[in-house]
Each structure stands twice: as C-alpha cells, then as structure tokens.
Amino acid sequence: MKKINNQQMRKGLLLMVTLIGGMVYTGKAQEKLTLQQALSTALQNNYDIKLVNNDVLIAKNNVNAGNAGILPRLDASFSEGGSRQNTTRTQSNGNEQTLTGVRNTNMSYGVALGWTIFDGLQMFTNYERLKELQKSGEVNAKATILSTISAVVNAYYTVMKEQQLVVARDSALDVSQLRLRIANNKLSIGRGSKLDVLTATVDYNTDTSAYLQELNLLKTAKTSLNQVMARDLNLDFKVDTSIVIDAKLDYTALSGQMEQLNPELQNAFISKKIAELNLKQVKGQRYPVVAVNSGYEFQRSSSPTGFNTQQRANGLTYGLTASLNIFNGFLQRQNERNAKIQINSAELSLDKTRQDISAQLISAYQNYLTSLELLNVEQRNVELAKQSLDITLEKYRLGSIAPLELREAQRNSIDAVSRYVEAQYQAKLTEISLKEISGTLNIQ
C-alpha cells in the first residue's frame, strides 16, 4: 500500500516539477510588456491605421484650388503632319495637268489658356466640399485609432486576467498537493484510509487539468494581443499584475464629451454639411458660366499645288465665352429636390446616430456602476473565502474535519478569486467602453 502511495506522490511531484520548470524557463525569455508599450507598438504597426492614414493623405492632397476648378488651365499643343498625293487638274481652257508625288506639310504649336471666372460659385462650393471630405477622413482615422486602442486595452487586460487566474489555479494546486501529502502521511501511520488518498489524488488531477487549461487560455490571449499589435505572434511576454480602474467617471461629463468628440457623431455632422453644400452646388447650375480664353499659336504649311505654295502664321488669340442653361427637361428642378431630400436624410441619420450612441452610453454607464458595486462585493468575498480556507486547512491538519469540507472551502476560495478577477476585468471593460463612446479614450 505504501509503495503505491509513494508512486502516486512521485508522479504528482514530477508533474509539478515539469510545470514549474517550464514556467521558469519561459519566464527567463519573457519580456515585461506595459500597456503603454503595447499601445505604442499597435499605433505604429497596426495595418488598419496605416491604411486609413493613407486615405487621409489622399483627402488632404485633394484640397486645393486647382482640384476645385478655381485656377485657370494652361495647355500646350504641337501637331505635325503631311500627305503625298498624285493630282490631276483640268483648267478652264481645257488643258490638263498631272502632278505625281506632290508633298503637302503642315505644322502648328502653341499654348492655350482657359479660365472659368464665374460658374454660379460652384467652384468655391466644391472647394468647401473637399475640405469637409478631408475632415471626414481625419474623423475616420480617429475612429480607427480609438478602435485600435480599445482592442489593445481589451486584449491586454484579457492577458492580465488570465495571468491572475493562472496564479489562482497554481495556488489551488498547492493546496491539493498539500492535502494529498497529508492523506498519504495519515495512511502511512495507520490513521487514514485508502479512499481519502484516492479522493485527494482525483482532486489533485482535476486541479492540474484546470491549471493546464488556464495556461492554454493565457497563451491564446497573448497570441491575440500580439495580433492586435501586428507583431510576431510567437513572442512571449508577461504583463502588469494590477488593474487600475477609474471609478470617478461622470455621466453628464461623458455625455457632453460624446457630442463633441464621438467619431460617428462627427461624421454624421460632416455628412449633413456635405449634403448642404451639394444643394448649393446644384443651385449654382442655374447661373451662367463665364470663361475667358487666350493663347499663342504658330502655324506653318506648304502645298505645291495651291495658290500659295507656303504659308506661315503666328499670333495671340483671345476670347470670352458665356453659357446659360435655359431648359434641360426639368432636370434642374429634379436635382434640387433630390438634394433637399438628401439633406433631410442626413438630418435623420444624424438624429438616429445621436440616439443610438446615447443609448450605448446609458447602457455602458449602468454596466459601469454595476461592475463597480460587484467589484466591492467580490473583493470582500475573496478576503472571507481566504480566511475560511486558512481555518479549514488548519482543522484538516489537525484531523477535526473531513476532506470534503476542505475541498468545499478550496472550491469556494478559487471561485471567489475567479469572480473577483472577472469583476475587475468587466469593470475595466465598461470603463474603456465609456471612454471610447465619449471619444476620450487615449494612451495616457
């Protein structure tokens, strides 16, 4: 009987040595990753941020007077050509003349200037529209950055949660190992039973399995964080061990910040502004379009069969053009009506966006308050469960309680720790969500 117990103990100790040895080896290769470092890495490497920044650069490049049609256009032209023909001519007196291989040439080059000086102010409206499109690109970039920051913070605290749960499972494993050792010792001196040893072994194996599963969850969470940071997925690291929660967020202040800083709301405002500019641009089509043009041109041609065998000309050209749409099948009125409908749709979209985001803020704030209350409750539960486990473990040492009572106290302790860690995690997530909705989430 004693030989079997010792064999079981050696297997348990071998497993513990293997696990602890693996943790020590991994720990040597691990870097300490702070939240600031994770955020900085993600903001530098994240593919979505790089892509949206390129869109912002394009929108910024598009904001110029030339793209809006305000500046004149200067074009240079050059052309050269000719022909080789066989010609037969009959004169009025009846004489006939045949020319073979007659070569005609012509060449021209010059510059032409065209400038629309009035188009119902459409060009200036278009310039304002390009500015609004740039603002929209910048808002989209901000939204992508906020989303990335949120994803990094979520992933970071997920790793922290799993890291704490691994420690909790390791502590539970220590208690189970101690219980198994006590059960073996009691059996060896004739005060215990084989059933106690078997039960303790099963519980020890159960806790080992839970510990290994928690380790796997921790590795998966680290992979997810590496992915968000857009770096090597196999890099190992450890994170901070404490979660700092801002417990002083105020709904009124958050609501005011949301109106000013939320990217979705800002985009809805910009869309309404663009719709108004579109109507202004359509109305501009009612006015005449006035343009001036000028240029300098040189021409040279030769034709041996003509009255003049060679001709040259050069000089300045200029002119003024004006056009006015008088009737286009009522399309002008139709386009203006559609533009007004688009403004109404943009206003409705703005109101809907504001309502949706306000609902998100209210729900997130209620979850935030509830999470803070649960956090206080679970913190007290952890302290009580720890005291209960210490007392129960001491009684078990003395043999005054059954193993089932120790196991129950052990379960209560690990459950309390798990709930407390989860409450910390959820409180932090609701804090992040509130700051993201209000547009105040940053890397500080």
Side-chain angles (χ1 to χ4, degrees):
M1 185 72 68
K2 184 175 181 181
K3 182 178 180 181
I4 294 176
N5 293 334
N6 288 337
Q7 184 179 4
Q8 292 173 341
M9 180 62 78
R10 282 197 300 269
K11 289 182 178 180
L13 290 176
L14 179 61
L15 178 59
M16 283 297 296
V17 169
T18 302
L19 291 173
I20 295 174
M23 291 181 65
V24 170
Y25 175 78
T26 305
K28 289 180 180 178
Q30 286 178 335
E31 62 167 316
K32 177 66 177 296
L33 181 67
T34 66
L35 180 57
Q36 292 292 324
Q37 292 171 338
L39 288 169
S40 298
T41 301
L43 293 179
Q44 290 176 2
N45 299 342
N46 186 270
Y47 297 112
D48 291 333
I49 292 179
K50 290 181 178 180
L51 290 172
V52 78
N53 283 338
N54 286 341
D55 293 337
V56 171
L57 290 176
I58 292 174
K60 184 178 180 181
N61 291 335
N62 287 339
V63 181
N64 59 79
N67 195 31
I70 298 175
L71 299 180
R73 177 169 178 168
L74 183 64
D75 295 316
S77 63
F78 174 84
S79 67
E80 182 176 15
S83 65
R84 186 177 293 274
Q85 297 176 335
N86 298 327
T87 305
T88 300
R89 298 187 300 185
T90 302
Q91 299 176 348
S92 59
N93 57 9
N95 294 331
E96 188 176 273
Q97 182 182 20
T98 301
L99 301 174
T100 303
V102 176
R103 187 170 181 269
N104 301 312
T105 63
N106 59 78
M107 181 185 70
S108 67
Y109 59 87
V111 292
L113 174 70
W115 190 4
T116 301
I117 57 177
F118 181 77
D119 64 350
L121 304 179
Q122 293 182 64
M123 63 183 78
F124 298 102
T125 303
N126 191 34
Y127 188 67
E128 292 299 318
R129 187 180 67 87
L130 292 174
K131 287 182 178 179
E132 294 301 321
L133 290 174
Q134 179 186 353
K135 291 180 183 178
S136 178
E138 292 170 349
V139 169
N140 289 334
K142 178 185 176 183
T144 302
I145 291 173
L146 282 176
S147 177
T148 301
I149 291 175
S150 177
V152 171
V153 175
N154 275 271
Y156 186 88
Y157 283 111
T158 299
V159 174
M160 184 182 295
K161 179 187 75 170
E162 297 301 334
Q163 191 171 269
Q164 291 176 334
L165 289 176
V166 166
V167 174
R169 290 293 179 184
D170 186 51
S171 299
L173 198 59
D174 289 340
V175 174
S176 295
Q177 186 183 21
L178 177 61
R179 174 188 165 195
L180 179 58
R181 186 166 64 249
I182 293 174
N184 273 306
N185 290 338
K186 286 183 178 180
L187 181 63
S188 65
I189 61 177
R191 294 181 56 190
S193 68
K194 176 67 178 299
L195 179 61
D196 289 345
V197 173
L198 293 176
T199 303
T201 303
V202 170
D203 290 340
Y204 174 79
N205 291 338
T206 300
D207 290 341
T208 301
S209 176
Y211 175 74
L212 293 174
Q213 291 176 6
E214 204 63 58
L215 274 179
N216 183 62
L217 291 175
L218 176 59
K219 293 177 181 178
T220 302
K222 288 182 177 181
T223 301
S224 298
L225 180 54
N226 282 330
Q227 181 181 9
V228 175
M229 290 190 292
R231 67 175 193 172
D232 186 355
L233 300 178
N234 295 313
L235 286 178
D236 197 11
F237 57 90
K238 59 182 179 180
V239 300
D240 295 329
T241 56
S242 61
I243 299 179
V244 180
I245 300 171
D246 186 355
K248 298 180 180 180
L249 296 180
D250 178 70
Y251 175 79
T252 303
L254 291 170
S255 180
Q257 292 167 333
M258 178 196 73
E259 286 286 341
Q260 300 295 324
L261 302 175
N262 183 274
E264 289 186 56
L265 266 181
Q266 287 181 321
N267 253 335
F269 277 116
I270 292 172
S271 296
K272 179 175 177 290
K273 178 68 174 177
I274 291 176
E276 293 170 349
L277 290 172
N278 183 53
L279 174 60
K280 187 176 179 181
Q281 195 167 13
V282 171
K283 285 184 175 180
Q285 296 173 6
R286 289 182 174 273
Y287 297 91
V289 176
V290 181
V292 295
N293 56 79
S294 180
Y296 189 89
E297 187 175 18
F298 174 85
Q299 294 181 343
R300 185 182 67 188
S301 63
S302 65
S303 178
T305 61
F307 183 77
N308 298 315
T309 58
Q310 289 188 344
Q311 180 177 336
R312 294 185 181 183
N314 65 284
L316 181 68
T317 62
Y318 56 88
L320 175 68
T321 62
S323 64
L324 175 63
N325 173 36
I326 298 176
F327 179 74
N328 64 350
F330 302 109
L331 291 179
Q332 178 65 30
R333 184 174 61 179
Q334 171 190 308
N335 292 338
E336 289 183 11
R337 287 177 177 176
N338 289 341
K340 291 177 181 178
I341 294 173
Q342 288 175 351
I343 292 176
N344 180 256
S345 297
E347 290 174 346
L348 292 173
S349 179
L350 174 60
D351 293 339
K352 182 180 183 301
T353 301
R354 181 184 286 110
Q355 185 181 53
D356 291 345
I357 295 176
S358 296
Q360 293 175 18
L361 185 68
I362 292 173
S363 298
Y365 192 74
Q366 185 58 49
N367 292 335
Y368 168 74
L369 295 178
T370 303
S371 296
L372 292 180
E373 293 177 359
L374 288 174
L375 184 59
N376 291 330
V377 172
E378 297 301 342
Q379 186 175 14
R380 291 194 296 270
N381 279 342
V382 168
E383 296 172 355
L384 295 174
K386 183 178 182 304
Q387 294 177 12
S388 175
L389 179 61
D390 291 341
I391 294 173
T392 305
L393 185 59
E394 186 60 31
K395 287 184 177 181
Y396 181 74
R397 291 175 189 272
L398 299 175
S400 59
I401 61 172
L404 289 178
E405 293 184 49
L406 175 61
R407 184 61 177 173
E408 185 64 25
Q410 186 183 13
R411 286 174 178 171
N412 289 338
S413 178
I414 189 64
D415 288 346
V417 171
S418 298
R419 289 197 306 271
Y420 174 63
V421 172
E422 184 65 27
Q424 279 186 311
Y425 177 66
Q426 292 300 327
K428 191 63 184 180
L429 291 191
T430 55
E431 175 199 330
I432 296 166
S433 178
L434 283 173
K435 291 181 176 180
E436 184 178 8
I437 294 171
S438 63
T440 58
L441 185 62
N442 53 49
I443 62 174
Q444 300 300 323

